[in-house]
Amino acid sequence: MQAGIVGLGRMGANMARRLMRAGHAVVAHDAEPEAVAALAEEGATPASSLADLAAELVPHRVVWLMVPAAAVDATIAALLPHLSRGDVVVDGGNSHFADDPRRERDLANRGVFYLDVGVSGGVWGLERGYCLMIGGEAEPVARLAPLFRALAPGRDAAPPTAGRIPGASTAEEGFLHCGPSGAGHFVKMVHNAIEYGAMAALAEGFNLLAHGGAGAAGRAADAETAPLAHPERYRYDFPVADIAELWRRGSVVSSWLLDLAARALAKDPALAAFAGRVSDAGEGRWALQAAVETGTPAPVLAAALFERFASRGEDAFALRLLSALRREFGGHGERG
């Protein structure tokens, strides 16, 4: 098949490469000409504009967007005049699921199909494949199945699940039509919120290991410092990187995220290269909003999201006020 890829960042470029490796023809466009030129050297057809991209694609066209959520509407608006009835636009970015039905309706008025596809795989997807969560009408989903199969990891990526009927769905191949418009991005939103919580649990657990020697450090004996009741219990100097490696083998918490943690700790056991500022792209906020609106308890996801806010200093004013209140009511000073 032929597909146009718009957005050649960390995900888009490697997705284009994986499609080409599977024998599909790719027309590539990006705001950065260097990104287009690099992919053209590997066999993609370069497009200097969205108009050029549409002209290089044979109807019925497939245009797969891998652009930031904030840029999707503008990209579709610029692309639409160059599309024809029966073409398919795929939003593979991390868009808000609530925007998808509107986009589907707008494109349907021009006879163009719209699919929302949550894509998971990160920078490793080129080799491992991409997990695809798809929303939209069944007909274009079926039409694009060869592209989905090329991008997905395939059945051999995981052993069969006991109790499942083999071949019951394409989920075993790494892609799934999750439902109507918005379903793909909803499932990806929840996926990323779970990711927030899982990452936070790993981070907090390893942080506790790193503080296992608190009893040997000594603490000030004054009215401002809570004493460590049993310092003799906390005199460990744990080889944190080795423990990460240990847990990868036979442990209940073994996972790909743990594999990545072990990899990072092997490179830099103190993680000195990182400041600890953790961004959020929006999926965690949307998932928490959905949890509130549906009355679904999600305390772990909420804590993980707020921890990311705190990592960026968004709690600095609150902490200063706490310190000020302690001084106001008790004359307590700050300690380093």
Side-chain angles (χ1 to χ4, degrees), residues 5-18 29-30 32 35 39 42 64-69 92-94 119-127 129-130 151 188 192 195 279-281 283 308:
I5 305 293
V6 178
L8 305 176
R10 292 189 301 270
M11 296 280 283
N14 279 346
M15 289 171 66
R17 292 183 176 101
R18 190 168 173 91
H29 172 69
D30 190 273
E32 298 294 334
L39 211 58
E42 300 178 41
W64 193 307
L65 309 182
M66 292 301 296
V67 300
N94 286 326
V119 181
S120 181
V123 296
W124 296 86
L126 176 60
E127 302 301 332
Y130 298 91
L151 290 169
K188 180 58 166 31
N192 282 20
E195 184 181 286
S279 299
D280 72 288
E283 303 91 332
R308 291 193 176 202

Side-chain angles (χ1 to χ4, degrees), residues 205-279:
F206 279 102
N207 193 36
L208 185 55
L209 289 173
H211 284 82
R219 295 195 180 191
D222 56 43
E224 306 301 327
T225 307
L228 186 60
H230 299 283
E232 72 280 1
R233 296 180 181 175
Y234 306 103
R235 297 183 179 275
Y236 303 108
D237 182 13
F238 289 118
V240 176
D242 287 344
I243 292 171
E245 192 65 25
L246 169 70
W247 285 350
R248 294 182 62 226
R249 292 163 171 80
S251 162
V252 172
V253 299
S254 60
S255 65
W256 187 49
L257 286 176
L258 180 61
D259 292 346
L260 297 178
R263 176 185 170 94
L265 290 166
K267 294 177 183 176
D268 180 6
L271 302 177
F274 298 91
R277 291 176 57 88
V278 186
S279 299

Side-chain angles (χ1 to χ4, degrees), residues 60-131:
H60 297 309
R61 302 173 182 86
V62 176
V63 181
W64 193 307
L65 309 182
M66 292 301 296
V67 300
V72 172
D73 283 330
T75 304
I76 291 176
L79 178 65
L80 192 53
H82 310 290
L83 298 181
S84 305
R85 181 171 294 273
D87 291 348
V88 182
V89 173
V90 178
D91 178 10
N94 286 326
S95 292
H96 192 189
F97 74 93
D99 292 329
D100 294 319
R102 168 182 57 80
R103 291 172 180 155
E104 183 186 54
R105 288 192 301 270
D106 291 346
L107 289 175
N109 290 334
R110 300 286 294 272
V112 176
F113 292 104
Y114 173 86
L115 298 179
D116 54 284
V117 179
V119 181
S120 181
V123 296
W124 296 86
L126 176 60
E127 302 301 332
R128 289 169 52 98
Y130 298 91
C131 177

